Amino acid sequence: VNETANLVWSAPGAQALSLAVQGGAPLDLGGQGSQGVVTVSPTQTTTYAFTADGTTRTATVTLAATIDALTLSAGQALPGEMLTVHWKTSGGTKVTLDGAGRGVLASETDLAKVKDGTFTDTVPTAPDGTVLSYRLTLEGSGGPVSQEVRAVVGTAPAVLSFTAPDYSKLGGQVSLAWRTANADTVTVEAGGVVLYRAQSLAEAKGGALSLPVPAADTEYLVRAASTISGASATRTVTVH
């Protein structure tokens, strides 16, 4: 995140001027006098102090908590193998990592590790094709925000995600997006009719499809399959 804020001052007649991070080093005023502006790019919520002829005023630049990146070291792993979750955040004070059905896996308040941290998990024993979900929740200004990443246990095909807009406007387009694991073919269907078939392994692994918004609520199904094993997995979304 590279957000900026302008610190603006007006101190008519003042001669001795300074601007600094509160309790920190002074900032360069660029030769400006009793009126001016300095642009800052803090990486966390920061308070600045402006002093004019011995009188000090403060201003705080608050950064909303954001998850900038959340990744897994692999999309598929066998029981007993290791998976590493890596996150990068801005403006937060605490991160919590939960595993679906397994509770809290990690919690961190060290600001350096909140900003850039990892957690290594041992893949639990689970049936082939089980999807492991890792949800990161970041606390900070603007309320908690969350993101999720998924991996599949074993070698069976799995649909890691299949998404569509919550609501769509008639006459427009609706975008369906998917991510899979261990699949070499993917189809998107509605009412038993195949609307799309992946043309490559890359498209089977992850892709998107834009369709006209249907006149009535419609359920779309994505089917991820392995032509070698014959196994498949499905997931549905409904477009309103």
Side-chain angles (χ1 to χ4, degrees):
V1 173
N2 187 26
E3 297 184 8
T4 62
N6 290 327
L7 303 177
V8 182
W9 69 88
S10 177
Q15 299 297 313
L17 306 172
S18 67
L19 176 65
V21 174
Q22 193 169 50
L27 280 65
D28 183 6
L29 300 185
Q32 300 175 93
S34 59
Q35 293 185 327
V37 57
V38 168
T39 300
V40 294
S41 301
T43 58
Q44 61 188 32
T45 296
T46 302
T47 297
Y48 298 88
F50 177 75
T51 302
D53 291 344
T55 299
T56 299
R57 297 288 185 269
T58 61
T60 299
V61 177
T62 301
L63 259 63
T66 57
I67 298 173
D68 303 319
L70 180 63
T71 59
L72 267 176
S73 56
Q76 174 271 335
L78 297 175
E81 292 184 338
M82 311 301 275
L83 281 175
T84 298
V85 184
H86 180 208
W87 62 83
K88 290 188 176 182
T89 72
S90 301
T93 56
K94 179 182 180 181
V95 291
T96 303
L97 185 69
D98 293 275
R102 297 192 290 159
V104 175
L105 302 176
S107 182
E108 189 62 67
T109 55
D110 181 319
L111 291 183
K113 294 178 181 179
V114 169
K115 185 177 180 181
D116 190 342
T118 61
F119 172 78
T120 299
D121 187 31
T122 301
V123 176
T125 300
D128 204 34
T130 297
V131 176
L132 293 179
S133 297
Y134 298 89
R135 176 172 291 275
L136 186 78
T137 300
L138 174 67
E139 297 178 28
S141 300
V145 291
S146 297
Q147 279 189 23
E148 186 175 87
V149 288
R150 295 174 176 175
V152 63
V153 178
T155 58
V159 179
L160 300 179
S161 66
F162 186 38
T163 60
D166 291 334
Y167 297 97
S168 301
K169 185 178 180 180
L170 192 62
Q173 295 284 307
V174 59
S175 181
L176 309 175
W178 62 88
R179 282 199 317 115
T180 72
N182 303 327
D184 55 23
T185 180
V186 159
T187 57
V188 176
E189 308 168 18
V193 177
V194 175
L195 305 176
Y196 167 87
R197 189 180 304 275
Q199 300 300 306
S200 66
L201 286 175
E203 289 181 10
K205 184 177 181 180
L209 175 65
S210 184
L211 296 168
V213 174
D217 289 0
T218 301
E219 184 177 78
Y220 294 94
L221 177 145
V222 66
R223 187 184 308 276
S226 167
T227 55
I228 297 174
S229 68
S232 65
T234 63
R235 183 172 291 191
T236 61
V237 294
T238 299
V239 173
H240 302 281

